[in-house]
Amino acid sequence: MASKYTNGELVSNMDDKYGVGGGVEDVYGEDSATEDQLVTPWTVSVASGYTLLRDPHFNKGLAFSEKERDAHYLRGLLPPAVSTQGLQEKKIMHNLRQYDVPLHKYVALMDLQERNERLFYKLLIDNVEELLPLVYTPVVGEACQKYGSIYRRPQGLFISLKEKGKILEVLKNWPEKSIQVIVVTDGERILGLGDLGCQGMGIPVGKLSLYTALGGVRPSACLPITIDVGTNNEKLLKDEFYIGLRQKRATGQEYAELLHEFMCAVKQNYGEKILIQFEDFANHNAFELLAKYRNTHLVFNDDIQGTASVVLAGLIAALKLVGGTLADHTFLFLGAGEAGTGIAELIALEISKKTNAPVEETRKKIWLVDSKGLVVSSRKGSLQHFKQPWAHEHEPVKELLNAVKAIKPTVLIGTSGVGKTFTKDVVEAMTSFTEKPLILALSNPTSQSECTAEEAYAWSQGRAIFASGSPFEPVEYDGKIFMPGQANNAYIFPGFGLGLIMSGTIRVHDDMLLAASEALAAQVTEENYKNGLIYPPFTSIRKISAHIAAKVAAKSYELGLASRLPRPKDLVKFAESCMYSPAYRNYL
Ligand SMILES: NC(=O)C1=CN([C@@H]2O[C@H](COP(=O)(O)OP(=O)(O)OC[C@H]3O[C@@H](n4cnc5c(N)ncnc54)[C@H](OP(=O)(O)O)[C@@H]3O)[C@@H](O)[C@H]2O)C=CC1
Ligand SMILES: CC(=O)C(=O)O
Ligand SMILES: [Mg+2]
């Protein structure tokens, strides 16, 4: 047990309201952070020097000032030099850039997060375009595949079948008490990489680091959770470094009971307003969990709902480039799972709202292809429930190319999880009847992208408007530079979650997703359009998130689902004021 000082008095961590770990209490809270806010001595409890240096929430490394070194027993524990956060940032970015292997950069970043949290977030916020592909797709995918080998320290909470009957106790083991958002996975569909079992933990950890960096939700309010019910991945089951349960996945009642215990325990421990984001569940569980808990919990499925909202935003923005309304377009999806049907449904809803046509009608402009071909009415008997609404009248078509020729889409969206499926023939066929084909290759990571940016531009003779789930570099084609966009739910969920949290929202409503889409689309500038972009750059993501949060919160107040009263007048300003700042504090 570490010793601690409170106002000069030695106390045991046992007595500390922060429990295990202890640390300098941040009396101003992380949300309304401003640099150089002084913490008065009588309100602060101070860890002994050694403990303080090893507490990632408060450690500043060489940036502890001379006075802090004296006040907090750090003399001798640090070399004499005193640094600034800016200089530390410069050094770490320099060091990161020396690594050739992206996974090594990932490991270095995770080490930083566990050593000095504020510096980690400062880096991520200031260098978002450079670091996003590391802490998020594509590199996080490789990290999950190799999670057992690169595992150093536990991140987040692991809840396995072994914890059945004890989940509430497990939640209480987590040191932070005021959790506002949980991202949870069971690891069965990690990006387009399939079942990675317990090693899927990289995803909730990565998503929550974006909640903080992109959405400004304070890190101590974020809890990553992996539910381990086994894995059907034979390779992992045989891998000596695998960190999860070595058994086949539990299914049926056993699975449902564990998940139900989890959902009840979370609500019991954190209350009605805890946001639970489901992430990378396989579709046979994802739709069911969302349907089962959407009326009793504040739940959000990022793959179904977040993806739908980000794609709809891109489509609304793209109308400026291609003209017409959404109702004028014909949509074809490769992939009819969570992402595909989620997006399709939100497009149909948006068109319905705009045209007053019933959703049953507006769905008819949207077609989906799954692994067996075009989803058509003659297949109805064997289709999963989420595909049923898309089984339109048409003769069976097996291949995507033939579906493209038959449907003549103006918008082609890849949500198959299978790379290289938008072939030259497919893109050329689409380009033959559409002046400006809109091509979204959403599958992650990069290896699973339906086509590359270069392929989309080259095969369409530079006519395609292209965006992808994982980032691609700008492409030079025919002497012109083309800027591919990134159509990724990372644009939506941080701001969406912030909007829910800051308004005390108790349930997610589809209209909030539409509001988020419109807010994101409104952030695309004329300059972006000139570059062929349908999404704004991630460099302005905090501003974007504040606008998304404000629109989501406004919708929540309008629907009577917000519990934070009175409603703040200026919701954008309020969102900004809630955002975590990673600037160091003075602990004096
Ligand atoms: N960019 C973003 O923000 C997001 C991207 N994604 C990505 O989308 C992909 C899919 O995710 P999700 O929808 O959750 O996965 P699902 O497993 O729910 O759906 C995959 C769909 O693709 C179909 N499919 C698989 N292989 C083929 C093939 N060879 N030809 C045609 N269809 C095929 C499946 O068919 P069947 O039903 O017949 O099995 C299924 O309908 C993943 O790569 C994921 O990373 C997901 C969420 C967000
Ligand atoms: C981006 C994301 O959520 C996915 O690929 O699953
Ligand atoms: Mg996902």
CSV table of all heavy atoms in Angstrom, one decimal, residues 185-221:
chain,number,residue,atom,x,y,z
A,185,THR,N,-16.9,-4.8,-26.0
A,185,THR,CA,-16.9,-5.7,-27.1
A,185,THR,C,-16.9,-7.1,-26.6
A,185,THR,O,-16.5,-7.3,-25.4
A,185,THR,CB,-15.7,-5.5,-28.1
A,185,THR,OG1,-15.9,-6.3,-29.2
A,185,THR,CG2,-14.4,-5.9,-27.4
A,186,ASP,N,-17.3,-8.1,-27.4
A,186,ASP,CA,-17.1,-9.5,-27.1
A,186,ASP,C,-16.0,-10.1,-28.0
A,186,ASP,O,-15.8,-11.3,-28.0
A,186,ASP,CB,-18.4,-10.3,-27.0
A,186,ASP,CG,-18.9,-10.6,-28.4
A,186,ASP,OD1,-18.4,-10.0,-29.4
A,186,ASP,OD2,-19.9,-11.3,-28.4
A,187,GLY,N,-15.5,-9.2,-28.8
A,187,GLY,CA,-14.3,-9.6,-29.7
A,187,GLY,C,-14.7,-10.5,-30.9
A,187,GLY,O,-13.8,-11.0,-31.5
A,188,GLU,N,-16.0,-10.6,-31.2
A,188,GLU,CA,-16.3,-11.6,-32.2
A,188,GLU,C,-16.1,-11.1,-33.7
A,188,GLU,O,-15.9,-11.9,-34.6
A,188,GLU,CB,-17.7,-12.2,-32.0
A,188,GLU,CG,-18.0,-13.4,-32.9
A,188,GLU,CD,-19.2,-14.2,-32.6
A,188,GLU,OE1,-20.0,-13.7,-31.7
A,188,GLU,OE2,-19.4,-15.3,-33.2
A,189,ARG,N,-16.3,-9.8,-33.9
A,189,ARG,CA,-16.1,-9.2,-35.2
A,189,ARG,C,-15.2,-8.0,-35.1
A,189,ARG,O,-15.7,-6.8,-35.1
A,189,ARG,CB,-17.5,-8.9,-35.8
A,189,ARG,CG,-17.5,-8.7,-37.3
A,189,ARG,CD,-17.0,-7.3,-37.7
A,189,ARG,NE,-17.9,-6.2,-37.6
A,189,ARG,CZ,-17.5,-5.0,-37.3
A,189,ARG,NH1,-16.2,-4.7,-37.0
A,189,ARG,NH2,-18.4,-4.0,-37.2
A,190,ILE,N,-13.9,-8.2,-35.0
A,190,ILE,CA,-13.0,-7.0,-34.8
A,190,ILE,C,-12.7,-6.5,-36.1
A,190,ILE,O,-12.0,-7.1,-36.9
A,190,ILE,CB,-11.8,-7.5,-34.0
A,190,ILE,CG1,-12.2,-7.9,-32.5
A,190,ILE,CG2,-10.7,-6.4,-33.9
A,190,ILE,CD1,-12.8,-6.8,-31.7
A,191,LEU,N,-13.1,-5.3,-36.4
A,191,LEU,CA,-13.0,-4.6,-37.7
A,191,LEU,C,-13.4,-5.7,-38.7
A,191,LEU,O,-14.4,-6.4,-38.5
A,191,LEU,CB,-11.5,-4.1,-37.9
A,191,LEU,CG,-11.0,-3.2,-36.8
A,191,LEU,CD1,-9.6,-2.8,-37.1
A,191,LEU,CD2,-11.9,-1.9,-36.7
A,192,GLY,N,-12.6,-5.8,-39.8
A,192,GLY,CA,-13.0,-6.9,-40.8
A,192,GLY,C,-12.0,-8.1,-40.6
A,192,GLY,O,-11.8,-8.9,-41.5
A,193,LEU,N,-11.5,-8.2,-39.3
A,193,LEU,CA,-10.5,-9.3,-39.1
A,193,LEU,C,-11.1,-10.5,-38.4
A,193,LEU,O,-10.4,-11.5,-38.1
A,193,LEU,CB,-9.4,-8.7,-38.2
A,193,LEU,CG,-8.7,-7.5,-38.8
A,193,LEU,CD1,-7.7,-6.8,-37.8
A,193,LEU,CD2,-7.9,-7.9,-40.1
A,194,GLY,N,-12.4,-10.5,-38.2
A,194,GLY,CA,-13.1,-11.7,-37.6
A,194,GLY,C,-13.0,-11.8,-36.1
A,194,GLY,O,-12.8,-10.8,-35.4
A,195,ASP,N,-13.0,-13.0,-35.6
A,195,ASP,CA,-13.1,-13.3,-34.2
A,195,ASP,C,-11.7,-13.2,-33.6
A,195,ASP,O,-10.9,-14.1,-33.8
A,195,ASP,CB,-13.7,-14.7,-34.0
A,195,ASP,CG,-13.9,-15.1,-32.6
A,195,ASP,OD1,-13.4,-14.4,-31.7
A,195,ASP,OD2,-14.5,-16.2,-32.3
A,196,LEU,N,-11.5,-12.3,-32.7
A,196,LEU,CA,-10.2,-12.2,-32.1
A,196,LEU,C,-10.3,-12.3,-30.6
A,196,LEU,O,-9.4,-12.0,-29.8
A,196,LEU,CB,-9.5,-10.8,-32.4
A,196,LEU,CG,-9.1,-10.6,-33.9
A,196,LEU,CD1,-8.4,-9.3,-34.1
A,196,LEU,CD2,-8.3,-11.7,-34.5
A,197,GLY,N,-11.5,-12.8,-30.2
A,197,GLY,CA,-11.7,-13.2,-28.8
A,197,GLY,C,-11.3,-12.0,-27.8
A,197,GLY,O,-11.6,-10.9,-28.1
A,198,CYS,N,-10.7,-12.4,-26.8
A,198,CYS,CA,-10.3,-11.5,-25.7
A,198,CYS,C,-9.3,-10.4,-26.2
A,198,CYS,O,-9.2,-9.3,-25.6
A,198,CYS,CB,-9.6,-12.3,-24.6
A,198,CYS,SG,-9.5,-11.4,-23.0
A,199,GLN,N,-8.6,-10.7,-27.3
A,199,GLN,CA,-7.7,-9.7,-27.8
A,199,GLN,C,-8.3,-8.5,-28.5
A,199,GLN,O,-7.7,-7.5,-28.9
A,199,GLN,CB,-6.7,-10.4,-28.7
A,199,GLN,CG,-6.0,-11.5,-28.0
A,199,GLN,CD,-4.7,-12.0,-28.7
A,199,GLN,OE1,-3.9,-12.6,-28.0
A,199,GLN,NE2,-4.5,-11.8,-30.0
A,200,GLY,N,-9.7,-8.6,-28.6
A,200,GLY,CA,-10.4,-7.4,-29.1
A,200,GLY,C,-10.3,-6.2,-28.2
A,200,GLY,O,-10.7,-5.1,-28.6
A,201,MET,N,-9.7,-6.4,-27.0
A,201,MET,CA,-9.6,-5.3,-26.0
A,201,MET,C,-9.0,-4.0,-26.7
A,201,MET,O,-9.3,-2.9,-26.2
A,201,MET,CB,-8.8,-5.7,-24.8
A,201,MET,CG,-8.7,-4.6,-23.8
A,201,MET,SD,-10.3,-3.9,-23.2
A,201,MET,CE,-10.4,-4.7,-21.6
A,202,GLY,N,-8.1,-4.2,-27.6
A,202,GLY,CA,-7.6,-3.0,-28.3
A,202,GLY,C,-8.6,-2.0,-28.8
A,202,GLY,O,-8.4,-0.8,-28.9
A,203,ILE,N,-9.8,-2.6,-29.2
A,203,ILE,CA,-10.8,-1.7,-29.8
A,203,ILE,C,-11.5,-0.8,-28.8
A,203,ILE,O,-11.5,0.4,-29.0
A,203,ILE,CB,-11.8,-2.6,-30.6
A,203,ILE,CG1,-11.2,-3.3,-31.8
A,203,ILE,CG2,-13.0,-1.8,-31.0
A,203,ILE,CD1,-10.6,-2.3,-32.9
A,204,PRO,N,-12.0,-1.3,-27.7
A,204,PRO,CA,-12.6,-0.4,-26.7
A,204,PRO,C,-11.6,0.6,-26.2
A,204,PRO,O,-11.9,1.8,-26.0
A,204,PRO,CB,-13.1,-1.3,-25.5
A,204,PRO,CG,-13.2,-2.7,-26.1
A,204,PRO,CD,-12.3,-2.7,-27.3
A,205,VAL,N,-10.3,0.1,-26.0
A,205,VAL,CA,-9.3,1.0,-25.5
A,205,VAL,C,-9.1,2.2,-26.5
A,205,VAL,O,-9.0,3.4,-26.2
A,205,VAL,CB,-8.0,0.3,-25.2
A,205,VAL,CG1,-6.8,1.2,-25.1
A,205,VAL,CG2,-8.1,-0.6,-24.0
A,206,GLY,N,-9.0,1.8,-27.8
A,206,GLY,CA,-8.8,2.8,-28.9
A,206,GLY,C,-9.9,3.7,-29.0
A,206,GLY,O,-9.8,4.9,-29.1
A,207,LYS,N,-11.1,3.2,-29.0
A,207,LYS,CA,-12.4,4.0,-29.2
A,207,LYS,C,-12.5,5.0,-28.0
A,207,LYS,O,-12.8,6.2,-28.2
A,207,LYS,CB,-13.6,3.1,-29.2
A,207,LYS,CG,-13.7,2.2,-30.4
A,207,LYS,CD,-14.6,2.9,-31.5
A,207,LYS,CE,-14.6,2.0,-32.8
A,207,LYS,NZ,-15.2,2.6,-33.9
A,208,LEU,N,-12.1,4.5,-26.8
A,208,LEU,CA,-12.3,5.5,-25.7
A,208,LEU,C,-11.2,6.5,-25.7
A,208,LEU,O,-11.4,7.7,-25.2
A,208,LEU,CB,-12.3,4.7,-24.4
A,208,LEU,CG,-13.7,4.1,-24.2
A,208,LEU,CD1,-13.7,3.0,-23.1
A,208,LEU,CD2,-14.8,5.1,-23.8
A,209,SER,N,-10.0,6.2,-26.2
A,209,SER,CA,-9.0,7.3,-26.3
A,209,SER,C,-9.5,8.3,-27.3
A,209,SER,O,-9.2,9.5,-27.2
A,209,SER,CB,-7.6,6.7,-26.7
A,209,SER,OG,-7.6,6.2,-28.0
A,210,LEU,N,-10.3,7.9,-28.3
A,210,LEU,CA,-10.9,8.9,-29.2
A,210,LEU,C,-12.0,9.7,-28.5
A,210,LEU,O,-12.3,10.9,-28.8
A,210,LEU,CB,-11.4,8.3,-30.5
A,210,LEU,CG,-10.4,7.5,-31.3
A,210,LEU,CD1,-10.9,7.2,-32.7
A,210,LEU,CD2,-9.0,8.1,-31.4
A,211,TYR,N,-12.8,9.0,-27.6
A,211,TYR,CA,-13.8,9.8,-26.8
A,211,TYR,C,-13.2,11.0,-26.2
A,211,TYR,O,-13.7,12.0,-26.1
A,211,TYR,CB,-14.4,8.8,-25.8
A,211,TYR,CG,-15.8,8.4,-26.2
A,211,TYR,CD1,-16.0,7.1,-26.6
A,211,TYR,CD2,-16.9,9.2,-26.1
A,211,TYR,CE1,-17.3,6.6,-27.0
A,211,TYR,CE2,-18.2,8.8,-26.5
A,211,TYR,CZ,-18.4,7.5,-27.0
A,211,TYR,OH,-19.6,7.1,-27.3
A,212,THR,N,-11.9,10.7,-25.6
A,212,THR,CA,-11.3,11.8,-24.9
A,212,THR,C,-10.6,12.8,-25.9
A,212,THR,O,-10.8,14.0,-25.8
A,212,THR,CB,-10.2,11.2,-24.0
A,212,THR,OG1,-10.9,10.4,-23.0
A,212,THR,CG2,-9.4,12.3,-23.2
A,213,ALA,N,-9.8,12.3,-26.8
A,213,ALA,CA,-9.1,13.2,-27.7
A,213,ALA,C,-10.0,13.9,-28.7
A,213,ALA,O,-9.8,15.1,-28.9
A,213,ALA,CB,-8.0,12.4,-28.5
A,214,LEU,N,-11.0,13.2,-29.2
A,214,LEU,CA,-11.8,13.8,-30.3
A,214,LEU,C,-13.1,14.5,-29.7
A,214,LEU,O,-13.6,15.4,-30.2
A,214,LEU,CB,-12.2,12.8,-31.3
A,214,LEU,CG,-11.2,12.4,-32.4
A,214,LEU,CD1,-9.8,12.2,-31.9
A,214,LEU,CD2,-11.6,11.2,-33.3
A,215,GLY,N,-13.6,13.9,-28.6
A,215,GLY,CA,-14.8,14.3,-28.1
A,215,GLY,C,-14.7,15.1,-26.8
A,215,GLY,O,-15.7,15.6,-26.3
A,216,GLY,N,-13.5,15.0,-26.1
A,216,GLY,CA,-13.3,15.8,-24.9
A,216,GLY,C,-13.9,15.2,-23.7
A,216,GLY,O,-14.1,15.8,-22.6
A,217,VAL,N,-14.3,13.9,-23.7
A,217,VAL,CA,-14.8,13.2,-22.5
A,217,VAL,C,-13.6,12.9,-21.7
A,217,VAL,O,-12.6,12.3,-22.2
A,217,VAL,CB,-15.6,12.0,-22.9
A,217,VAL,CG1,-16.1,11.3,-21.6
A,217,VAL,CG2,-16.8,12.3,-23.7
A,218,ARG,N,-13.7,13.3,-20.4
A,218,ARG,CA,-12.4,13.1,-19.6
A,218,ARG,C,-12.1,11.6,-19.4
A,218,ARG,O,-13.0,10.7,-19.3
A,218,ARG,CB,-12.6,13.8,-18.2
A,218,ARG,CG,-13.6,13.2,-17.4
A,218,ARG,CD,-14.0,14.2,-16.3
A,218,ARG,NE,-15.3,13.8,-15.8
A,218,ARG,CZ,-15.5,12.9,-14.9
A,218,ARG,NH1,-14.5,12.3,-14.3
A,218,ARG,NH2,-16.7,12.5,-14.5
A,219,PRO,N,-10.8,11.3,-19.5
A,219,PRO,CA,-10.4,9.9,-19.5
A,219,PRO,C,-10.8,9.1,-18.3
A,219,PRO,O,-11.2,7.9,-18.4
A,219,PRO,CB,-8.8,10.0,-19.5
A,219,PRO,CG,-8.4,11.4,-19.5
A,219,PRO,CD,-9.7,12.2,-19.5
A,220,SER,N,-10.9,9.7,-17.1
A,220,SER,CA,-11.3,9.0,-15.9
A,220,SER,C,-12.8,8.6,-16.0
A,220,SER,O,-13.3,7.7,-15.2
A,220,SER,CB,-11.1,9.7,-14.7
A,220,SER,OG,-11.8,10.9,-14.7
A,221,ALA,N,-13.6,9.1,-16.9
A,221,ALA,CA,-15.0,8.8,-17.1
A,221,ALA,C,-15.2,7.7,-18.1
A,221,ALA,O,-16.3,7.3,-18.3
A,221,ALA,CB,-15.8,10.0,-17.5
